[in-house]
Amino acid sequence: MSNQRVTTAYFREAKKTGRKITMLTAYDYPMARMVDEAGIDAILVGDSLGNAVLGYDSTIPVTMDDMVHHIKAVTRGVKRAMVVGDLPFLSYHISREEALRNAGRILQEGGAQAVKLEGGQEVAETIRAMVSCGIPVMGHLGLTPQSIHQMGGYRVQGKDEAQAKKLLEDARAIQEAGVFAIVLECVPVPLAKLLTETLEVCTIGIGAGPYCNGQVLVTHDLLGMFMGKSPRFAKRYANLHEEIARALQAYREEVQSGAFPGPEHGFDMPGEVLSKLY
């Protein structure tokens, strides 16, 4: 594996050669370092931080200041992976000027190499404006969490003919506008396969099957850091919630029993110094 920084050119080459892109989320410095050192190609600082680390029940409350704060922490821990920062709810809808300013903050203040935004034809001209300013843009279609209230919940998108045709049209529109990759979330496998085969840019799947050019997961889901049931599309590679809970309980028990700290956890001082203090 090369230590060379992952760029948009890496994504284009991966599409040509059939090399799969790996992408995971990170929201802080320690996790970013671990993900990067594992050789993951891209790190998404998603507005999913609202659910994963800020305790919100959706991504809607996440602000630009939240995003910049977490992106800065992530970029400090990354040497190779491309860092992609999410544009949160209403940060690119009010005006073209505000959208450019906010996208610029993610690169200029946050230190990310690209931005991600949700939507299709309705945001194509905004994407075009960003790309023309030198801002790499990753698209996001299918289940778009910022529109969750409009969609009526977390539902698979593109199952009927009208939805499927709209997804195809949206994908072509944002590709033409200049995105270098498109996240497909909760899209039927056959439709994701068709999109991957017909688009010139990389598709990154999350709940969209094995035919996409790459995959992305929320790292907290992958590591089993949440209680309860994981999303259907997430594979749990570890169960850190149980491991962390066990360690925390052991600490509590040892402090209460006096087993911690032991002699090896403390520092001594010369007896003659101590005698002068009494």
Side-chain angles (χ1 to χ4, degrees):
M1 182 186 68
S2 170
N3 290 325
Q4 189 173 357
R5 194 76 189 229
V6 174
T7 66
T8 55
Y10 184 94
F11 278 72
R12 289 193 294 270
E13 185 65 20
K15 181 75 175 186
K16 290 178 185 176
T17 62
R19 180 179 60 222
K20 293 284 189 176
I21 296 285
T22 56
M23 188 172 183
L24 287 172
T25 60
Y27 313 109
D28 57 32
Y29 174 83
M31 186 63 74
R33 277 197 65 171
M34 287 188 282
V35 172
D36 188 49
E37 290 170 2
I40 301 301
D41 297 318
I43 294 177
L44 173 64
V45 189
D47 59 1
S48 50
L49 68 88
N51 309 84
V53 297
L54 297 181
Y56 299 134
D57 60 4
S58 75
T59 64
I60 303 298
V62 177
T63 67
M64 273 301 304
D65 286 343
D66 290 333
M67 292 306 307
V68 170
H69 175 81
H70 286 270
I71 292 166
K72 287 166 73 174
V74 166
T75 56
R76 294 186 197 110
V78 175
K79 294 181 179 178
R80 174 185 173 269
M82 172 189 281
V83 177
V84 182
D86 248 341
L87 281 163
F89 183 64
L90 285 186
S91 65
Y92 55 98
H93 303 86
I94 296 170
S95 70
R96 192 77 42 80
E97 292 74 17
E98 186 170 354
L100 289 173
R101 186 180 306 111
N102 286 329
R105 285 190 67 191
I106 286 178
L107 271 64
Q108 192 172 43
E109 293 181 45
Q113 289 79 56
V115 302
K116 182 176 77 63
L117 57 80
E118 299 178 2
Q121 297 165 78
E122 69 278 5
V123 295
E125 290 308 311
T126 299
I127 291 170
R128 196 185 310 279
M130 291 177 184
V131 173
S132 70
C133 290
I135 300 171
V137 179
M138 179 179 285
H140 186 158
L141 296 173
L143 194 164
T144 47
Q146 292 175 17
S147 304
I148 202 66
H149 297 310
Q150 187 180 41
M151 289 179 170
Y154 295 91
R155 304 171 186 273
V156 175
Q157 301 296 308
K159 294 181 74 171
D160 62 43
E161 182 180 355
Q163 281 189 353
K165 285 183 175 178
K166 174 72 163 53
L167 263 172
L168 287 164
E169 291 167 359
D170 283 341
R172 294 186 191 112
I174 64 174
Q175 174 179 262
E176 197 274 331
V179 298
F180 69 92
I182 302 174
V183 172
L184 300 176
E185 182 169 357
C186 289
V187 172
V189 173
L191 180 56
K193 183 174 186 288
L194 176 61
L195 283 159
T196 302
E197 292 171 346
T198 56
L199 291 171
E200 296 176 5
V201 299
C202 280
T203 58
I204 308 296
I206 177 166
Y211 302 106
C212 295
N213 301 120
Q215 298 292 327
V216 60
L217 282 178
V218 172
T219 303
H220 287 63
D221 289 332
L222 179 155
L223 295 177
M225 294 180 72
F226 292 129
M227 295 174 62
K229 189 177 179 182
S230 297
R232 175 176 172 174
F233 54 75
K235 181 174 180 179
R236 183 176 288 183
Y237 289 81
N239 193 343
L240 293 194
H241 181 269
E242 287 187 4
E243 289 296 313
I244 292 169
R246 196 162 25 241
L248 298 177
Q249 290 165 10
Y251 165 76
R252 172 178 55 81
E253 291 167 2
E254 289 198 1
V255 170
Q256 290 174 342
S257 69
F260 177 82
E264 70 274 21
H265 303 117
F267 306 93
D268 208 349
M269 64 186 297
E272 61 270 21
V273 175
L274 181 61
S275 65
K276 293 176 181 178
L277 301 179
Y278 285 91

